[in-house]
Amino acid sequence: MLTQLQRIVQQVNSAGSLDQAVAWLVGAICELMNTEVCSIYLADADAGLLQLVATQGLTLPPGTVCTLSYQEGLVGLVASKEEPINLADAQHHPAFKLIEELNEEVFQSFLGVPIIFRRRVLGVLTIQQRDARIFDSEEEACLVTLANQLAPALANVEERTRLLRAQTGWKRSAMGQAGAPGIGMGTCLVKIPSLTFEDLAEVTEADQALELKRFDDAVGSTQKTLRDLAKRLDLPSQTQGIFELYVQLLAPASLGDPVRALIRKGLSAEWALKAVIDETVDKFSAMEDSYLRERATDLKDVGLRLLQALSASQLTKAQPEGDLILVADEVSATMIAEVPKEQLKGIVSRRGSGHSHAAILARALGIPAVLGVSSLPLSALPGRRIIIDGYTGRCFIDPEPALEREYQRLIQEEASISKDILESAKGPALTLDGQRIKLYINAGLSADTDVAAGQGADGVGLYRTEVPFMLANRFPGEEEQFRLYSHVLSRYPGLPVTLRTLDVGGDKPLPYLPIKEDNPFLGWRGIRITLDQPDIFLIQLKAMLRAHQQQGNLQILLPMISSISEVDEAIRLLRQAHFELCDSLGDFPLPQVGVMVEVPAALYLLPALAGRVQFVSVGSNDLTQYLLAVDRNNPRVADLFSPFHPAVVQALAQIQRQCGELGLPVSVCGELAGEVMGITLLLALGYRQLSMNASQVARAKHLLKRLSLGELDDLKAAILDSKDADELSWQLHQPLSSAGFGHWLRAGR
């Protein structure tokens, strides 16, 4: 039975269209269940209808459309109750509705089960027989299992098919994630690489000298191309730092040396490059941290650029005229730079998140971005008209004229709002009632801090020092780290720059420090690794302290703290490194030290921590994940991840309250701190220091100018009394709408 189920699911997954999938499926289920009738109804949630899309055993005349509401018939009852219905005499059930065209009056027994994917009813699967009998428990269990297994497969096929079918009764839209705010409208410009690593043939006996020269020439030409593309964007020099990062990835310590080592073993330049890129991309793609995971896209983009340079396959195609929406499997920063700035009105990517450099560039350019639209069939989109909504993550393909007119009106409205946001970025972050809020930026590469400099931030709230470690093929030495940290600190003279100590392990492995664990999220990671490897920790601490001695604005942040002994040992090592450096550099003050509150245990250690550290930073992403026991990167449970869950909100309130009583400065550095509703929530709870992506600073300042802390304080009790995330969100909508930010919240925006 299991083998037959797997075969059915595989067949549906490989179907070219939804029609093809369901037409084959009803016959396969009749054969599997040894029944006379099998039918599939698919749901249109917006219309509240279920449409019969395929049947074997019933009569559906050609051209006939058979639909039922959720309140009609046994099928509607299955969908509305979201549970199986098993009847021996279906026609005498109060909910039975006879549809004469189907000729189903001869069938007595009925078994219907809902097809549910991620808490959404996709449709109903039914079987029927002439004999009046209850289907036995094994038959019911089999059909329920089949519906459960088919749900994700049908969801994928349905989403792909929606854009390809011509029937006007089906919407031509797709849903992704909001990557950059705004609304864009134009013609789809689809980018598909002319050559990929999958096209290569393995070569393991190449001429070493020739291949090394080919590789070095390709690196040189690719670096020049990247710098030319940066200039073409005509952005401030800080934003061009993203392209300098791409150039850095080609340096010997990153990709260069590992590729050359494989070439010296006899591999061709292309095959050596493929091996290094594949290994490095796999490592980054498996990481929990969404910021780090997005660096895989940068690596793939650089790798493909090098591959094209090696093969001389860089073809220049004629650029379409008019407004364009850039669409690709993974939109990269270099793809954006290749499109004329005056034509580019937005980007759509099948993969990626708001942490990608494509999203960062889109926000810097002021164009909308929708990411993670995995269902888009790229081959069907070239030349088609599209509207993208960077607020809700929705795309509309071949939109109706009325919809275009409405979105055109919203674009004009957005233009006036953008001017206000740019104006807000110039001054300090002040609320409507004149209260000062400190806004910091999160970063992980020197290029990120270059991008952020000049954005009006109050410093760096979180710098992820592990990123350079992960891009290297060995532990970076003290001098190497010192140069990097000194550069980062120098970008913010007189402002605090918080460097988090090495936070690797588990989902963020280093290739030269392999770690294999059954549960990496609860394993050897963060401070646990650095305390177990004091030699590595001391090198990093000395590099940080040397940068502090030179620049004077360092703060050190300790990650994944779950016990007082970890803090005591880390501070002991810090003092040891400081003592040794004072001998050679002369006396200089120790930097402030803080801890991340992301492990729930740390909530109960705050009184003891107050006597040991000078500040606290709340990592809302991990704190939410650990409190709710939800891996937000697992699609089966990702919908359960919510920083607005009452338990998370209560924890955030407890941290702020305790830190206030202890006189301990506290900030929030997770994604929550950069979102409109997240900022509103945190202000209401009493937080006055927030750390976010650089691109979110200007928008946050604009929001603060219209919010009154006094009014938000009055809302705190209602927020803490909220019983679920929906109720809490409604509480937060009120002050935002009153402040004139309903356009950032309403459906369709």
Side-chain angles (χ1 to χ4, degrees):
M1 177 70 74
L2 181 59
T3 302
Q4 291 171 294
L5 288 176
Q6 289 174 338
R7 182 179 66 84
I8 290 174
V9 173
Q10 289 171 356
Q11 187 73 23
V12 172
N13 263 321
S14 62
S17 69
L18 185 62
D19 290 338
Q20 180 184 341
V22 295
W24 177 86
L25 188 56
V26 290
I29 294 175
C30 278
E31 181 180 345
L32 175 69
M33 303 291 295
N34 191 27
T35 188
E36 297 171 87
V37 175
C38 176
S39 304
I40 297 176
Y41 297 77
L42 291 185
D44 182 341
D46 291 337
L49 296 175
L50 294 151
Q51 180 177 347
L52 177 60
V53 293
T55 183
Q56 177 163 311
L58 300 181
T59 303
L60 184 63
T64 302
V65 177
C66 175
T67 60
L68 293 165
S69 76
Y70 279 45
Q71 288 73 46
E72 287 184 304
L74 295 173
V75 172
L77 190 62
V78 172
S80 60
K81 294 183 68 174
E82 299 184 8
E83 63 183 17
I85 292 179
N86 189 350
L87 301 172
D89 187 2
Q91 296 182 40
H92 286 89
H93 189 279
F96 179 78
K97 178 179 180 178
L98 179 65
I99 301 175
E100 295 182 359
E101 295 90 340
L102 299 181
N103 294 322
E104 63 176 332
E105 57 271 14
V106 297
F107 301 103
Q108 303 294 316
S109 54
F110 172 93
L111 173 60
V113 300
I115 305 170
I116 299 175
F117 181 64
R118 297 183 184 175
R119 304 189 180 188
R120 180 169 68 94
V121 175
L122 298 181
V124 174
L125 177 62
T126 68
I127 58 175
Q128 294 170 265
Q129 283 188 343
R130 295 173 190 267
D131 297 339
R133 72 179 183 91
I134 294 286
F135 288 93
D136 64 38
S137 58
E138 285 192 16
E139 291 172 311
E140 183 172 331
C142 179
L143 199 63
V144 168
T145 303
L146 184 57
N148 183 266
Q149 294 287 318
L150 283 172
L154 279 175
N156 287 334
V157 175
E158 178 190 24
E159 194 71 20
R160 290 199 307 266
T161 303
R162 283 201 304 174
L163 300 178
L164 294 173
R165 53 193 303 162
Q167 293 157 284
T168 57
W170 291 80
K171 294 187 301 180
R172 291 163 293 187
S173 65
M175 194 71 183
Q177 300 173 9
I183 297 165
M185 191 182 302
T187 302
C188 290
L189 174 64
V190 179
K191 291 275 188 175
I192 300 175
S194 57
L195 180 66
T196 69
F197 289 111
E198 285 69 33
D199 300 323
L200 298 179
E202 183 174 4
V203 179
T204 56
E205 295 181 1
D207 183 320
Q208 293 183 32
L210 176 61
E211 295 303 304
L212 285 169
K213 183 178 186 308
R214 289 180 63 233
F215 179 69
D216 289 340
D217 289 346
V219 168
S221 66
T222 302
Q223 287 176 327
K224 181 180 183 304
T225 298
L226 291 170
R227 289 190 171 112
D228 289 344
L229 286 172
K231 293 176 183 176
R232 178 174 177 174
L233 271 180
D234 190 28
L235 285 171
S237 59
Q238 298 98 327
T239 308
Q240 292 180 11
I242 288 176
F243 291 88
E244 195 55 40
L245 162 66
Y246 276 45
V247 173
Q248 291 172 18
L249 291 176
L250 296 171
S254 295
L255 298 177
D257 282 350
V259 173
R260 291 183 182 91
L262 291 178
I263 291 174
R264 292 188 181 100
K265 292 182 179 180
L267 273 64
S268 67
E270 290 89 345
W271 198 253
L273 176 64
K274 169 181 165 56
V276 172
I277 292 292
D278 284 352
E279 179 183 357
T280 313
V281 165
D282 287 347
K283 177 179 66 178
F284 275 82
S285 297
M287 292 173 186
E288 171 199 357
D289 189 303
S290 55
Y291 172 88
L292 298 176
R293 200 165 54 246
E294 282 299 338
R295 303 292 71 81
T297 302
D298 300 331
L299 289 160
K300 278 189 276 189
D301 188 34
V302 169
L304 285 174
R305 294 261 159 196
L306 264 178
L307 181 62
Q308 290 172 349
L310 282 166
S311 63
S313 66
Q314 303 175 64
L315 302 177
T316 303
K317 295 182 179 180
Q319 194 80 25
E321 296 181 355
D323 294 344
L324 300 174
I325 303 295
L326 175 61
V327 185
D329 186 57
E330 283 187 282
V331 174
S332 66
T334 57
M335 287 181 186
I336 293 173
E338 288 174 330
V339 182
K341 187 177 177 181
E342 63 276 8
Q343 288 184 267
L344 185 60
K345 302 303 176 184
I347 67 171
V348 179
S349 183
R350 290 184 60 185
R351 306 172 195 246
S353 74
H355 292 288
S356 68
H357 277 141
I360 293 171
L361 267 185
R363 291 190 287 262
L365 287 165
I367 59 174
V370 176
L371 311 170
V373 196
S374 58
S375 59
L376 281 180
L378 296 183
S379 60
L381 291 179
R384 296 177 74 173
R385 188 79 172 158
I386 186 171
I387 296 173
I388 68 170
D389 188 331
Y391 293 98
T392 64
R394 186 172 287 283
C395 304
F396 299 94
I397 296 88
D398 297 334
E400 296 295 328
L403 187 64
E404 271 209 46
R405 286 194 297 271
E406 172 61 13
Y407 270 97
Q408 189 60 55
R409 183 187 66 78
L410 294 175
I411 288 173
Q412 293 170 357
E413 180 184 322
E414 178 69 19
S416 63
I417 295 169
S418 297
K419 292 179 183 178
D420 293 339
I421 292 173
L422 291 174
E423 191 64 29
S424 298
K426 296 177 182 177
L430 295 171
T431 63
L432 180 64
D433 42 1
Q435 298 298 307
R436 181 76 162 90
I437 307 297
K438 295 290 185 72
L439 300 183
Y440 303 97
I441 66 114
N442 299 332
L445 292 156
S446 61
D448 293 331
T449 55
D450 291 344
V451 170
Q455 294 287 319
D458 293 300
V460 177
L462 172 65
Y463 181 87
R464 304 170 178 90
T465 63
E466 60 269 17
V467 179
F469 281 77
M470 297 164 72
L471 291 173
N473 56 10
R474 53 170 175 73
F475 283 110
E478 180 183 327
E479 193 65 29
E480 200 174 337
Q481 292 185 59
F482 160 68
R483 288 196 300 269
L484 173 61
Y485 303 151
S486 184
H487 171 77
V488 173
L489 267 61
S490 71
R491 301 298 295 166
Y492 290 85
L495 297 175
V497 175
T498 305
L499 303 185
R500 183 174 67 188
T501 60
L502 188 62
D503 186 13
V504 296
D507 67 310
K508 293 183 282 188
L510 300 176
Y512 40 90
L513 185 67
I515 302 168
K516 293 184 178 180
E517 297 178 303
D518 291 336
N519 194 336
F521 300 112
L522 304 179
W524 198 47
R525 59 178 300 191
I527 197 70
R528 297 167 184 174
I529 288 183
T530 48
L531 292 181
D532 285 351
Q533 304 280 334
D535 52 334
I536 297 170
F537 197 28
L538 283 167
I539 289 173
Q540 183 177 46
L541 290 174
K542 286 182 178 180
M544 288 181 175
L545 289 171
R546 286 174 60 194
H548 177 61
Q549 187 268 342
Q550 189 177 84
Q551 305 294 337
N553 57 338
L554 170 69
Q555 294 189 156
I556 293 178
L557 185 60
L558 305 175
M560 291 295 294
I561 294 298
S562 59
S563 71
I564 297 300
S565 61
E566 292 170 338
V567 178
D568 288 341
E569 179 63 11
I571 291 176
R572 184 190 71 78
L573 290 171
L574 175 65
R575 288 175 175 160
Q576 176 184 326
H578 180 254
F579 177 80
E580 294 172 4
L581 285 174
C582 284
D583 276 348
S584 57
L585 300 177
D587 287 342
F588 64 94
L590 277 166
Q592 290 196 337
V593 177
V595 296
M596 289 201 73
V597 175
E598 50 193 338
V599 178
L603 272 71
Y604 305 98
L605 302 177
L606 288 173
L609 289 170
R612 292 168 167 82
V613 300
Q614 289 75 54
F615 67 95
V616 163
S617 183
V618 181
S620 62
N621 298 346
D622 273 340
L623 181 62
T624 302
Q625 183 163 256
Y626 286 128
L627 279 172
L628 302 183
V630 172
D631 176 5
R632 61 181 180 153
N633 298 316
N634 181 341
R636 289 185 179 274
V637 296
D639 289 344
L640 301 177
F641 181 95
S642 172
F644 301 105
H645 188 288
V648 178
V649 174
Q650 292 287 345
L652 290 169
Q654 177 184 330
I655 295 167
Q656 193 283 326
R657 182 177 62 252
Q658 274 200 285
C659 286
E661 293 169 352
L662 297 166
L664 200 58
V666 59
S667 65
V668 178
C669 65
E671 291 178 15
L672 184 68
E675 300 171 352
V676 172
M677 285 180 55
I679 292 171
T680 309
L681 169 65
L682 294 171
L683 291 177
L685 295 179
Y687 287 90
R688 299 297 181 258
Q689 298 183 45
L690 308 174
S691 192
M692 59 196 66
N693 293 335
S695 58
Q696 296 171 318
V697 171
R699 185 169 289 264
K701 286 184 177 181
H702 181 62
L703 172 66
L704 291 172
K705 285 175 64 176
R706 309 280 282 276
L707 292 178
S708 164
L709 289 188
E711 292 179 6
L712 291 180
D713 286 342
D714 295 339
L715 193 63
K716 183 176 179 179
I719 287 174
L720 294 177
D721 283 342
S722 297
K723 301 300 185 291
D724 55 43
D726 289 339
E727 183 182 342
L728 190 145
S729 297
W730 183 83
Q731 296 285 356
L732 295 173
H733 272 63
Q734 290 183 305
L736 287 168
S737 296
S738 299
F741 292 103
H743 59 280
W744 285 354
L745 299 171
R746 69 173 178 261
R749 291 301 308 272

